[in-house]
Amino acid sequence: MDRRGRITVLGSANMDLVVRQPRLPKPGETMFGSHFSTVPGGKGLNQAVAAARAGGAVTFAGAIGDDAFGTELRIQMEADGIAVSTLRVTDAPTGTAHISVVDGGENSIVVVSGANAAIPELDDNDRGAIADSDWLLVQFERPQPLVAEALRHARSVGTKTMLTPAPVQPVDEELWSFVDVLVPNEHEACELAGLDDEQDAAVWLSERVGTVVMTRGSRGALVCREGAVVVEVAARKVDAVDTTGAGDTFVGVLAARLAAGDELETALHAATAGAAISVTRAGATSSMPVWSEIAATL
Ligand code: RIB
């Protein structure tokens, strides 16, 4: 039986308000959608759920409001066996993500941060959870100073770190030195490096962090270290229903497998398989596979 690696996710939790529609409306246009749903999401919670379903022992360091959406998100965490001792309830409302999914499965997202932006610094619970973990996962839907503090603390206590730089934003140079694995998509990599060519961008980033795993949607992932490409992993061909949360599924599964002791390339194949399954189903957390489903495709 695999070791259950310990993972803390410091990140956002949103209620996703999802509309399916044939295309995006033009400015000033009113149009009909075909379906509306609410789905627990947020890049942080998505990664926590994906990691837990892939076998990780996960703690979620996040923030919700004292409201109905917050209650639903907490129920989802508990249903997935995620530890919530580090979940904080704030005066601000639970974060929401307003998501349009068009025919073909692509999405556009507007996030209203609410509680995700309300906590400026770590508390002792957060620090303890990070110190007790093999891996810390962070993204940029919490304030960057908080993310930086978490990364710095992880480095000081010997916990490995994985950063998803989304939504992409200018990064304080010092932050790179605390990142073991950076997982940008190709657009984020280009933006962060200030380069047009995605491979050049991944190489540039790999001179600043431990390892870069650049996801490229249906073109798979590219891994760079110390200024060179080391591995390319092909994506699996699937009929996409909804790509929401596919990148988060990739990260959560990758972390769970690395924490369980897999080599990077083995973990990447599992992450790719997990993400491929997630795009064949609707929603963020609602689309994420459990480990037996991933293992069956490997
Ligand atoms: O990465 C997908 C996620 O981005 C959605 O679940 C939404 O909540 C936004 O945070």
Side-chain angles (χ1 to χ4, degrees), residues 77-203:
M77 295 168 208
E78 288 171 347
D80 276 297
I82 295 168
V84 291
S85 53
T86 46
L87 181 65
R88 292 200 243 175
V89 179
T90 72
D91 290 338
T94 297
T96 50
H98 305 256
I99 304 184
S100 304
V101 181
V102 297
D103 291 349
E106 284 302 329
N107 62 68
S108 312
I109 305 180
V110 177
V111 172
V112 180
S113 294
N116 296 307
I119 307 259
E121 52 193 26
L122 300 182
D123 67 8
D124 287 346
N125 272 343
D126 300 326
R127 284 193 203 90
I130 293 169
D132 286 343
S133 294
D134 302 300
W135 282 88
L136 167 71
L137 309 189
V138 288
Q139 321 75 33
F140 281 154
E141 280 185 353
R142 303 291 300 279
Q144 197 179 126
L146 178 73
V147 171
E149 188 190 353
L151 289 169
R152 196 177 302 111
H153 177 63
R155 179 52 54 88
S156 74
V157 293
T159 299
K160 290 190 273 309
T161 62
M162 193 177 293
L163 167 66
T164 306
V168 71
Q169 53 190 256
V171 171
D172 184 345
E173 272 290 312
E174 189 206 7
L175 184 139
W176 296 135
S177 62
F178 305 125
V179 177
D180 291 306
V181 179
L182 180 72
V183 192
N185 65 25
E186 67 274 46
H187 310 294
E188 291 152 1
C190 288
E191 182 89 23
L192 289 167
L195 296 169
D196 293 332
D197 182 86
E198 62 188 42
Q199 183 164 321
D200 289 349
V203 165

Side-chain angles (χ1 to χ4, degrees), residues 12-16 39-44 46 96-99 107 109 111 141 243-248 284-285:
S12 58
N14 297 326
M15 184 55 80
D16 290 354
V39 184
K43 295 186 195 306
N46 290 343
T96 50
H98 305 256
I99 304 184
N107 62 68
I109 305 180
V111 172
E141 280 185 353
T243 57
T244 310
D248 299 326
T285 52

